[in-house]
Amino acid sequence: MAIRIGILGYGNLGKGVECAVKHNPDMELAAVFTRRDPASLALLTEGVKVYAAKDAPAKKEEIDVMILCGGSATDLPKQTPDMAKYFNVVDSFDTHARIPEHFAAVDEAAKKSGHIGIISVGWDPGMFSLNRLYANAILPGGKDYTFWGKGVSQGHSDAIRRIEGVKDARQYTIPIDTALEAVRSGSNPELTVRQKHTRECFVVTEKGADQDKIRETIINMPNYFSDYDTTVHFISEEELQRDHAGIPHGGFVIRSGKTGWEDEHNHVIEYSLKLDSNPEFTSSVLVAYARAAYRLNQEGQSGCKSVFDIAPACLSPLDGAALRKHLL
Amino acid sequence: MAIRIGILGYGNLGKGVECAVKHNPDMELAAVFTRRDPASLALLTEGVKVYAAKDAPAKKEEIDVMILCGGSATDLPKQTPDMAKYFNVVDSFDTHARIPEHFAAVDEAAKKSGHIGIISVGWDPGMFSLNRLYANAILPGGKDYTFWGKGVSQGHSDAIRRIEGVKDARQYTIPIDTALEAVRSGSNPELTVRQKHTRECFVVTEKGADQDKIRETIINMPNYFSDYDTTVHFISEEELQRDHAGIPHGGFVIRSGKTGWEDEHNHVIEYSLKLDSNPEFTSSVLVAYARAAYRLNQEGQSGCKSVFDIAPACLSPLDGAALRKHLL
């Protein structure tokens, strides 16, 4: 019997989960829940119903794992512990500083109800975190580097959109090749924020807006842009739609470290992602961890987990013998 | 109290384990066991005793995890199940075709004695296998590629050394850049053996040996060389010692796959290693998994495991809260 997946929140991430479920024959989409008017949603999957988010608890017998596709700022801190009362849950909570309290809240709810909650699933946090952990365990004498991009940063794009006179904007985070090469050489360089990434902005302005002023506002914006070399291009709305409609992303996790009695040998471990669609890739990771949530709960486990706590075999539809034969 | 590590077999791998233990403050080297004359071994670590391999069982109360550093052809198939009667064990068994029977033998012995055995630990099998599993679970619609090198292949070097007139040899396996680039482009190319790697050989011959004949013998050797474009360089013994004394290796595991309702988005996941010392890196992985073996056994678990069965958190000296705070 297929694992029955529920989706709460049908934006880019929710749609990505729907597509990922289609790619996994051992799963099926059971229902989608939304805070919008359910009648306003047109799903891609035929025959699947849309319900109001508030009616989710009533469907608890029909769903094995609920994948939470809301935002980390305000949705997930409330939704994940809430839903863990009724379902096994998986989320992509990515506010690093608040992970400890989120973990505690989900753990309490999930233990009380006898469910599994897996939080902070995706690629960063997620696959990047895993690669940091593995590389740190293998090379305790070393240094970690994370580079992001080339890709669209939603947060930085939003920050530009909030400037007066800006109609729309897209911001790309771009890792600097010379910094990447220095890290790969094993020289363990100390790199400033400015030396690691540049920021490139494509901005559509309102008619009559002061573009020079907008450019100055962007490149001097504290936290978002002032520590980086930032380039601003003003383009038309048509160009933005034509050339910048995608949501690509990616990045690199590199650890360089020493071994040997006198630290005489150097090693470089590198993990990288090149993603055409950031939300679809994140969704694909969420769905793999939904399989793990279901299995762990079937084994009688409960409580909150992160990707660190899940044995890799739990993610695969193959059994242990098949995995050892084909992938080991 | 530190985890007490034993080493069985003190070649390149055993020495690498000794160095890796030094890099991990929560571990200590308790003893080394050898089939050679114990008095003939000079360890790097002060105050650690060397015993005859046959006396290992008598030391079972003094060692938490025995790391087996023998070869996969004849040593480990016997040693790992044998030692699992007395110890938690970790090995780097790498004969892919025989993993199922090795797993079964270790599982039986380890379950009977109440110990943990972790087999096929290292980088391939090992970290490469893990990355294949993760990438397959995330992108079920995709294709796997593994490239090895640039690095020294001991098996191929040995094959050359067995040719009449050859005094010594070093063989490098080299991935072909254009093949790597084609894979990274997401085009999912079909690649022949010859299109993925070249082989470069540095050969020292006996005085008066027929070098043309040796070159022909190498490049036409079935399985080892005939399917590859192979280059043979004849050099002096001094040059071999000076320029080819190291044991570097590395490689790339790449999965390219599609997401989206109509498979419209492509993604590339790449994991790569660049290693100055193949045995020291393998040893570093063995030691991280020794920590996991100890912990799982402390929890009361027993039986055979592979890297697929071990939650990543088990490898780290940090606890769950610290891992979530610093690495998630």
Side-chain angles (χ1 to χ4, degrees):
Chain A
M1 212 178 73
I3 301 170
R4 299 166 302 170
I5 302 292
I7 294 172
L8 174 55
Y10 194 68
N12 285 332
L13 203 58
K15 278 179 199 151
V17 168
E18 182 178 23
C19 294
V21 166
K22 185 191 177 194
H23 283 81
N24 285 280
D26 63 334
M27 304 199 176
E28 64 180 31
L29 183 61
V32 171
F33 300 88
T34 180
R35 286 175 301 188
R36 291 179 273 170
D37 172 9
S40 72
L41 261 55
L43 304 188
L44 296 164
T45 315
E46 270 182 51
V48 172
K49 289 208 172 136
V50 183
Y51 300 101
K54 67 174 172 44
D55 297 331
K59 301 290 173 190
K60 68 182 184 139
E61 299 303 331
E62 296 162 36
I63 286 165
D64 294 313
V65 185
M66 184 73 93
I67 302 182
L68 306 177
C69 299
S72 294
T74 55
D75 298 337
L76 298 176
K78 191 173 170 333
Q79 283 176 350
T80 313
D82 248 23
M83 288 294 123
K85 294 178 196 160
Y86 313 102
F87 304 100
N88 297 307
V89 292
V90 181
D91 79 18
S92 62
F93 185 77
D94 66 358
T95 311
H96 280 266
R98 297 187 62 191
I99 285 176
E101 59 187 289
H102 189 57
F103 187 93
V106 175
D107 195 49
E108 191 189 340
K111 279 199 176 125
K112 209 174 278 177
S113 70
H115 288 105
I116 289 281
I118 311 182
I119 63 160
S120 301
V121 172
W123 59 276
D124 196 6
M127 298 311 297
F128 274 18
S129 322
L130 276 178
N131 276 280
R132 285 189 282 261
L133 191 162
Y134 278 117
N136 272 268
I138 296 168
L139 295 175
K143 200 162 154 54
D144 289 315
Y145 297 87
T146 303
F147 292 84
W148 294 273
K150 182 181 176 176
V152 173
S153 164
Q154 300 288 3
H156 288 76
S157 301
D158 288 345
I160 300 172
R161 284 189 204 103
R162 285 191 294 263
I163 297 170
E164 204 188 318
V166 171
K167 206 168 165 186
D168 203 352
R170 200 76 84 252
Q171 194 269 182
Y172 294 93
T173 306
I174 304 169
I176 296 176
D177 276 339
T178 52
L180 270 169
E181 288 311 315
V183 168
R184 287 185 184 127
S185 77
S187 68
N188 283 6
E190 292 291 337
L191 297 168
T192 64
V193 162
R194 193 178 299 273
Q195 286 171 322
K196 288 182 69 190
H197 298 92
T198 55
R199 298 197 177 277
E200 191 168 17
C201 313
F202 293 87
V203 182
V204 181
T205 52
E206 307 281 0
K207 213 173 161 179
D210 182 344
Q211 294 193 338
D212 287 342
K213 195 179 155 194
I214 289 171
R215 185 194 309 271
E216 287 303 305
T217 307
I218 293 172
I219 67 177
N220 293 310
M221 198 184 293
N223 302 318
Y224 285 91
F225 293 100
S226 62
D227 294 335
Y228 299 84
D229 290 335
T230 301
T231 316
V232 180
H233 308 276
F234 293 101
I235 61 174
S236 69
E237 198 155 12
E238 293 68 40
E239 286 173 298
L240 192 83
Q241 288 310 318
R242 187 190 66 204
D243 302 335
H244 305 283
I247 321 177
H249 220 312
F252 305 82
V253 172
I254 305 175
R255 185 168 176 88
S256 158
K258 307 282 184 189
T259 66
W261 194 251
E262 304 287 352
D263 281 353
E264 62 270 33
H265 291 124
N266 197 67
H267 306 272
V268 180
I269 305 174
E270 176 168 344
Y271 179 80
S272 70
L273 296 173
K274 202 170 64 186
L275 313 176
D276 274 359
S277 165
N278 183 355
E280 284 181 10
F281 187 82
T282 300
S283 304
S284 299
V285 184
L286 284 166
V287 166
Y289 278 91
R291 181 181 291 119
Y294 173 73
R295 287 188 181 164
L296 293 174
N297 190 240
Q298 289 288 103
E299 286 174 10
Q301 295 194 45
S302 67
C304 191
K305 313 265 181 195
S306 80
V307 294
F308 295 157
D309 307 308
I310 311 285
C314 288
L315 304 179
S316 172
L318 301 178
D319 68 17
L323 285 175
R324 287 191 292 276
K325 192 171 161 66
H326 299 297
L327 294 176
L328 193 61
Chain B
M1 213 180 70
I3 301 170
R4 299 166 304 172
I5 301 292
I7 294 172
L8 174 55
Y10 194 68
N12 283 333
L13 203 58
K15 278 180 199 149
V17 169
E18 183 178 21
C19 295
V21 167
K22 185 190 177 194
H23 284 82
N24 286 280
D26 62 335
M27 304 200 178
E28 65 181 29
L29 183 61
V32 172
F33 300 88
T34 179
R35 286 175 302 187
R36 291 180 272 169
D37 173 10
S40 72
L41 260 57
L43 304 188
L44 297 164
T45 316
E46 271 183 51
V48 172
K49 289 210 171 133
V50 183
Y51 300 100
K54 66 174 172 48
D55 297 332
K59 302 289 172 190
K60 67 182 185 141
E61 300 302 331
E62 297 163 36
I63 285 164
D64 294 314
V65 185
M66 183 73 93
I67 301 183
L68 306 177
C69 299
S72 295
T74 56
D75 299 336
L76 298 176
K78 191 175 169 332
Q79 282 176 350
T80 314
D82 247 25
M83 288 294 122
K85 293 178 195 161
Y86 313 103
F87 304 99
N88 297 307
V89 293
V90 182
D91 80 18
S92 62
F93 185 77
D94 66 359
T95 312
H96 280 266
R98 297 187 62 190
I99 284 175
E101 60 187 289
H102 189 56
F103 187 93
V106 175
D107 195 50
E108 192 188 340
K111 279 200 176 126
K112 208 175 279 176
S113 71
H115 289 104
I116 289 282
I118 310 182
I119 63 160
S120 302
V121 172
W123 58 277
D124 196 5
M127 298 312 296
F128 274 18
S129 323
L130 275 179
N131 276 280
R132 285 188 283 262
L133 192 163
Y134 278 118
N136 272 268
I138 296 168
L139 295 175
K143 200 162 153 52
D144 288 316
Y145 297 87
T146 303
F147 292 84
W148 294 273
K150 181 183 177 175
V152 173
S153 164
Q154 300 287 1
H156 287 77
S157 301
D158 289 343
I160 299 172
R161 284 189 204 103
R162 286 191 293 265
I163 297 169
E164 204 190 317
V166 171
K167 207 169 165 185
D168 203 351
R170 202 77 83 251
Q171 193 270 181
Y172 295 92
T173 306
I174 304 169
I176 297 175
D177 277 339
T178 51
L180 269 170
E181 288 312 315
V183 168
R184 287 184 183 129
S185 77
S187 69
N188 283 6
E190 291 291 337
L191 296 167
T192 64
V193 162
R194 194 179 298 274
Q195 286 172 321
K196 288 181 69 188
H197 299 91
T198 56
R199 299 196 176 278
E200 192 168 17
C201 314
F202 295 86
V203 182
V204 180
T205 52
E206 307 281 1
K207 213 172 160 181
D210 181 345
Q211 294 193 337
D212 286 343
K213 196 179 152 194
I214 289 171
R215 186 194 308 271
E216 287 304 304
T217 306
I218 293 171
I219 66 177
N220 293 310
M221 198 183 294
N223 303 317
Y224 285 90
F225 293 101
S226 62
D227 294 335
Y228 300 85
D229 290 335
T230 301
T231 315
V232 179
H233 309 277
F234 292 102
I235 60 173
S236 69
E237 198 154 11
E238 293 68 41
E239 286 173 298
L240 193 82
Q241 288 310 318
R242 188 191 64 205
D243 303 333
H244 305 283
I247 321 175
H249 219 312
F252 305 80
V253 172
I254 305 176
R255 186 169 175 87
S256 158
K258 308 280 184 191
T259 67
W261 195 251
E262 303 287 353
D263 280 355
E264 61 269 34
H265 292 123
N266 196 68
H267 306 273
V268 180
I269 305 174
E270 175 168 346
Y271 179 80
S272 70
L273 296 173
K274 202 169 64 184
L275 313 176
D276 275 359
S277 165
N278 184 353
E280 285 181 9
F281 188 82
T282 300
S283 304
S284 300
V285 184
L286 283 166
V287 166
Y289 278 92
R291 181 181 289 120
Y294 173 73
R295 288 187 181 166
L296 293 174
N297 190 241
Q298 289 288 103
E299 287 175 9
Q301 294 194 46
S302 67
C304 191
K305 313 264 182 196
S306 79
V307 295
F308 295 158
D309 307 307
I310 312 286
C314 288
L315 304 178
S316 172
L318 302 177
D319 68 15
L323 285 175
R324 286 190 294 275
K325 193 173 159 67
H326 298 298
L327 294 176
L328 194 61

